Amino acid sequence: MASIFDGVDTTDPCLVWPLLQTALYKLSAGEVEVRVRHEDFDVTLQPANTKDLERMITKLKADCNRKQGIRSRFAIRGGY
């Protein structure tokens, strides 16, 4: 089974997070497993891993935005 990272510069979060998003979509669509392999990192993702995968995607998106100089916006909410 091929890795989703074959031929991709995995040091660039802007290239990595879309691939992980694709893996998440595949798992959500019913694929039993998706293999993620790069150098000494080798993991097979299964539907039970989706929460961890979502957190990793969120972090990589934020890293990509910082790399591109895009600032994150956060709303401050007040309550009584």
Side-chain angles (χ1 to χ4, degrees):
M1 177 186 279
S3 171
I4 62 172
F5 291 129
D6 287 344
V8 173
D9 176 13
T10 56
T11 62
D12 186 351
C14 299
L15 297 176
V16 174
W17 79 259
L19 295 174
L20 291 178
Q21 187 72 51
T22 300
L24 181 62
Y25 290 153
K26 287 180 178 183
L27 291 171
S28 297
E31 284 200 28
V32 177
E33 60 184 34
V34 177
R35 186 170 185 183
V36 177
R37 179 181 32 146
H38 176 68
E39 295 173 358
D40 61 342
F41 179 75
D42 188 1
V43 66
T44 301
L45 299 172
Q46 297 175 337
N49 302 95
T50 57
K51 292 297 178 196
D52 292 335
L53 185 56
E54 289 171 357
R55 278 192 289 274
M56 186 181 293
I57 291 167
T58 300
K59 181 191 177 309
L60 288 169
K61 279 183 182 180
D63 292 347
C64 178
N65 286 341
R66 271 192 300 280
K67 180 180 177 184
Q68 295 176 340
I70 299 171
R71 296 181 61 175
S72 298
R73 295 183 181 195
F74 297 96
I76 299 175
R77 297 178 62 177
Y80 292 93

